[in-house]
Every structure is written in structure tokens, then in C-alpha cells.
Amino acid sequence: MPNVLSKRTLMIMLTAVAILFPLVFQNMYLLQLLTLVFIWSIAVYGFNIISGYVGYLSLAHAGFFAIGAYGVGLLTTKAELPYWISLFLAVVITALAGALVGVIALRTKSHFFAIYTMCVGVIIYLLIDKWDSLTGGVRGLIGISPPGNIGPITFDSLTSQYYLALSFLILTIFICYRIVHSLLGRTFIAIRNSEELAKTIGISIMKNQLLAFTLSALFAGLSGALYASFIRFIGPQISAITVTFEMLMYLLVGGIGTLAGPLVGTLIVISLTQSLQFLEEYRMLIFGPVVVLLVLYYPRGITGSIEAFIRNRKLQKVNLRKEEHEVKRDVGEAG
């Protein structure tokens, strides 16, 4: 119980810090940076569901991110639908696209799954890049509508968009928390650990994998839609395979298969890349080796390594108490 309370207290404190941050620090650059971190973190949380908890590496994640971004962009600029309806439809379309891809992709296993989803990601990129009449091609979409008003609440300032992104991130983390600590989450982990063993206890492998893949695409689409309305300009480069690898890097650095990993990794990597902007193209000569060393020596990521350290300390304390108890018992028997 104390451990649970401490985790809850830490979560409440971090949420309070995030809420109070714009009121204390009036730095527009930091607000913009954190807003982008929140938006990208939502996509990485989706990535974590399929890759971290189910154990399937999907390389089409940037494609689903782009479907959500272009969905809200096209629905607001060309169909002229209200923003919130466009956001909802964009997320639904992305989830349906994820389910359609998943039905076929999940018939493959291991690296074949990764290769298939990578091909899907490339196809999505080519469709966006070449379909000029719909997507604008290399010119992209310009003038995407910002989030619409909700009663007296407006989203025409950077601070309001910061709170909007933070709200969706908190909702995403809450949903992921509920999934991981439910029977569904334990089912995902059982499939990741051993599909054959999961089958023997009656788990429907395909159904649960498809659900995880669809949820992953849904969060990617939501992130893409928020990104489009925040930046207000998107191009085909957001669906490139390099974007998927960037999200994978965020996840590996933070800790794959952990609840805090996606947010921690995204915050650290984006902050470091922005701080090294003055080095221009040479910044990767410094940042790249650092990430490689981190993955080599801390394969569980930052969050996973911290959790493992805490578990080991607790185990050592339990073993020490057992030894002390046995020594006292032996002394008592000898006396």
C-alpha cells in the first residue's frame, strides 16, 4: 500500500507541475517544446501497446500518424467540417485503417510482420506524396484549422493549446494505465511472453493482437490530428519511415513496456535534439553514440532500469529480513 500511495502521489505531483508550469514560466519556447512533447508522447504510447506489451514491432506507425494528421487537415480545409467533428472522424478513420491493416499483417510473425508494416508505411507515404489533387503532394496542406471553441474556452493561444495537448496526454496515460492493470493488459503480456502458452490457456491470439494494433493506430491518429492543428501545416515527410524510427527511439530510451517510458523518452530525446540545434547536421555525431550506449548498457530504458533497481533493492531487503529472522531463530534454538 505505501508503494502504491507513493506512485499516486508522484503522479499527482507531476500533473500539478505540468498544470502550473505555464503560470510560473512565461517562456513561449518551452511551452511550444512541451506541447510537441505531449503530442508525440501520445503516439509513442500507442507504439508501446503493440510493441511493448504485445511484442510486435510495427513500422507503419508514422503512416497512421499521418492518416490522423491529413484526416483532420482535409476534413477542416476541404470538407469544411467543424474541428471537433473532424478530429473524431480522423481518429475513427485511422483506427479503421489500423484494423484493416492488422487483419492481414498479424497473419505474419516476427521480422516478417515488421517488414510488412514497413511496406504499408511506405505505401501510405507514396499515396500522400503523389496524390496531389487530394493531399497537395510535396506542397502539403496549409492553413489547417486550429481547435474550435468549446463554449467560452478558446484555443487561439499557445497556452490554451498546451493545456489541450496535456489533457489528451493525461487521458491517454489513464487509458493505458487501465489497460495494463486489467485482464486485457495481462493478456497482452501473456501473448508477448509466449503465444503457444497463451493458446493453451484459451487466449484468442488474433483477436487480442488485432485489438492492440487497432488501439495503437488510434493513438497514433489522435496524435497526428493534434499535431496538424497545432503546427497548421503538414507535408508527406510526417509519414516517412524515419519518423517511425524516431518514435521507436523515444520508446527505447524511455523504457519499452513501461507506463512512464513513452513520456520520459520523448521528453529527453526531443529536449536533447533541440538543445543541440546549434550544431546543425553535426549534432547527430554527439547524440547518436549517446543513444547507442544507452540502449546497449540500459536495454530496459531509463524507466525500466529504475524500476528494475527498485525491485532488486526490495528483494534484497526481503532476503536480508529472512536471513535475520533465521539467525534469530537459530540463536533462540541454541539457547
Side-chain angles (χ1 to χ4, degrees):
M1 182 64 70
N3 184 43
V4 174
L5 289 175
S6 63
K7 284 185 177 180
R8 289 179 179 174
T9 303
L10 181 61
M11 291 173 63
I12 293 171
M13 288 176 60
L14 290 175
T15 304
V17 169
I19 292 172
L20 294 174
F21 185 86
L23 305 178
V24 178
F25 299 97
Q26 301 295 326
N27 189 316
M28 293 297 104
Y29 171 75
L30 286 178
L31 280 183
Q32 185 173 21
L33 180 66
L34 287 173
T35 304
L36 286 172
V37 167
F38 295 159
I39 291 171
W40 282 109
S41 295
I42 294 171
V44 181
Y45 270 102
F47 207 170
N48 196 31
I49 291 175
I50 187 64
S51 298
Y53 290 107
V54 180
Y56 274 58
L57 179 61
S58 171
L59 297 180
H61 210 62
F64 296 129
F65 178 89
I67 291 175
Y70 272 89
V72 79
L74 292 171
L75 289 171
T76 54
T77 58
K78 295 195 174 184
E80 297 183 352
L81 291 176
Y83 174 79
W84 295 107
I85 294 177
S86 300
L87 177 69
F88 174 77
L89 290 176
V91 173
V92 170
I93 291 169
T94 310
L96 291 175
L100 182 62
V101 171
V103 167
I104 303 172
L106 290 167
R107 298 180 185 276
T108 60
K109 305 293 181 183
S110 186
H111 52 280
F112 295 108
F113 175 84
I115 293 170
Y116 181 87
T117 52
M118 182 177 68
C119 293
V120 171
V122 172
I123 290 170
I124 293 172
Y125 170 79
L126 291 174
L127 283 172
I128 294 172
D129 186 54
K130 303 301 180 184
W131 199 346
D132 288 0
S133 59
L134 179 66
T135 65
V138 294
R139 298 186 303 276
L141 284 178
I142 305 173
I144 298 170
S145 299
N149 299 344
I150 302 178
I153 303 173
T154 60
F155 299 98
D156 52 0
S157 67
L158 181 57
T159 303
S160 60
Q161 294 219 26
Y162 168 91
Y163 283 119
L164 177 65
L166 176 62
S167 300
F168 275 107
L169 175 62
I170 292 172
L171 177 62
T172 299
I173 295 173
F174 175 76
I175 293 172
C176 290
Y177 176 86
R178 296 293 296 176
I179 289 173
V180 171
H181 291 87
S182 68
L183 179 60
L184 179 61
R186 291 191 288 273
T187 300
F188 288 165
I189 294 171
I191 293 172
R192 180 192 66 190
N193 293 339
S194 173
E195 289 188 22
E196 295 301 322
L197 185 59
K199 284 181 182 178
T200 61
I201 59 176
I203 293 176
S204 176
I205 304 297
M206 182 66 177
K207 183 177 73 175
N208 284 283
Q209 286 177 337
L210 182 60
L211 177 58
F213 193 82
T214 304
L215 285 172
S216 174
L218 184 147
F219 284 120
L222 173 60
S223 177
L226 293 172
Y227 178 83
S229 59
F230 179 65
I231 301 298
R232 302 190 67 185
F233 164 78
I234 51 174
Q237 69 275 5
I238 64 171
S239 62
I241 189 67
T242 53
V243 176
T244 298
F245 286 124
E246 286 176 5
M247 288 190 276
L248 178 60
M249 180 170 60
Y250 302 158
L251 185 57
L252 291 175
V253 170
I256 190 168
T258 64
L259 271 175
L263 177 57
V264 171
T266 306
L267 177 61
I268 290 174
V269 176
I270 290 182
S271 299
L272 282 176
T273 52
Q274 290 299 316
S275 64
L276 295 175
Q277 284 289 349
F278 68 94
L279 295 174
E280 297 180 353
E281 68 269 17
Y282 299 106
R283 69 182 186 275
M284 293 309 295
L285 293 176
I286 298 174
F287 185 66
V290 171
V291 174
V292 170
L293 290 172
L294 183 64
V295 172
L296 283 175
Y297 291 100
Y298 297 94
R300 297 180 180 178
I302 294 172
T303 305
S305 298
I306 293 173
E307 290 180 354
F309 175 77
I310 294 172
R311 282 197 302 268
N312 290 335
R313 287 294 300 272
K314 287 180 180 178
L315 186 60
Q316 288 174 0
K317 288 181 180 179
V318 170
N319 291 335
L320 184 60
R321 287 173 185 170
K322 286 183 179 179
E323 290 176 1
E324 290 176 351
H325 178 73
E326 290 176 358
V327 169
K328 288 179 181 179
R329 185 185 61 187
D330 292 340
V331 171
E333 291 176 353

